[in-house]
Amino acid sequence: VGALIAVPLNRQDGRTYGMICCLSPHPMPQLAQRDHDVMVTFAGLVGDLIGTGLAAQVDGTGARGRIEDVIADRDFQLLLQPIVNLTDNSVMGAEALCRFRPTPYRSPDKWFAEARIVGLHRQLERMVVIKTLDLMPDLPRALKLSINVSLDTMIFGDLPALIDGPYCDRIIFELTEHENCPNLGPLQQQIKLLRSLGVQIAVDDLNAGYASLNMVLQIKPDIIKLDRALVRGINTDPASRALAAGIMHFSLAIGAKVIAEGIERPEEADTLRALGVELGQGFLLGRPGGMLALQARTFSP
């Protein structure tokens, strides 16, 4: 070694991770303090990157443990929100909504996103489906139960085998995403198997994007849901009414029913009825609650 500059490689917390060295086979008498300072600066940048990577690795390990614990303990609650006929206010079904119990509270989308990052999303979704199916014996006979699933779980989750039983014709699987499906063949095959068991397919939050509309045309869902963002204030927003009317026309053309989500005001319900929307969900029609609350809402006059 003719010349050497070596400086410590420190993590963000000050602990030494190693050394960073610059070697030359030839003597370099011109090396000075400036060269050492450049190495120190470079070592600081590398140390920050290493620290970030190590932190992410530790956090990933913790995230995996959190998801595994939730799956093993079924540590989540299922709430049921009524799906109501907007004409006579009768309950036609319910949507199962998942709420995770561990503290501090985090919204369901964050739990499912984290499960996807650590590769446990299928296992988590399957456990939610299994726990939801446990509710079927107590569900009033006239009602259908809507269960949210991702595209990935619809294709690879072996749902037909999971639900094969006496309640299949009362289940709706609601696709929470309907874009970026590069190969529709496997999806269509699973949907065909599910429909042979009596299951209905719904899509949530349909938009006007080509990918979304193309996939919906390919799978021809039984139900299309109007997102709450479109429903909110629809009585005062001509653009929202026009878009909802377009989705109604599209739904009729493919033989799908429409459910409007997030109805909170009587004026919104009146406008949706005028547009021909038959079914709705929202705080105006019934808040999410337990089975007893759904039974009471179903059989109340």
Side-chain angles (χ1 to χ4, degrees), residues 165-229:
Y167 304 106
C168 292
D169 60 349
R170 297 169 59 197
I171 293 172
I172 301 168
F173 276 126
E174 183 175 328
L175 282 170
T176 56
E177 52 183 328
H178 35 85
E179 297 181 0
N180 303 322
C181 183
N183 188 351
L184 286 169
L187 176 63
Q188 290 173 316
Q189 179 63 26
Q190 290 301 307
I191 288 176
K192 182 179 179 180
L193 290 173
L194 289 168
R195 282 185 166 141
S196 71
L197 297 172
V199 173
Q200 290 186 307
I201 304 298
V203 294
D204 189 22
D205 189 21
L206 178 67
N207 62 53
Y210 172 78
S212 178
L213 290 175
N214 181 61
M215 200 192 83
V216 170
L217 283 170
Q218 295 296 322
I219 67 174
K220 293 182 173 57
D222 305 287
I223 297 166
I224 289 174
K225 303 190 79 172
L226 295 181
D227 186 73
R228 64 186 68 249

Side-chain angles (χ1 to χ4, degrees), residues 32 37 46 48 57 68 71-72 83 103 116 126 137 148-149 156 160 212 220 231 237 252 255 268 288:
D37 293 343
V46 174
D48 288 345
Q57 184 178 16
E68 288 175 338
I71 294 171
I83 299 171
T103 56
R116 184 175 291 275
R126 279 177 60 87
N148 294 300
V149 294
F156 301 109
S212 178
K220 293 182 173 57
V231 169
D237 187 346
L252 288 172
E268 294 168 347

Side-chain angles (χ1 to χ4, degrees), residues 80 82 91 93-94 135-141 143 170 287 289-301:
L80 301 172
V91 179
L135 301 174
M136 294 300 297
D138 297 319
L139 189 74
R141 287 183 178 275
L143 305 190
R170 297 169 59 197
R287 291 176 177 268
M291 181 63 72
L292 290 177
L294 178 65
Q295 291 170 342
R297 174 67 179 83
T298 301
F299 299 116
S300 62

Side-chain angles (χ1 to χ4, degrees), residues 56-73:
Q57 184 178 16
V58 171
D59 186 63
T61 302
R64 187 174 186 85
R66 284 193 296 272
I67 302 300
E68 288 175 338
D69 288 345
V70 164
I71 294 171
D73 299 336

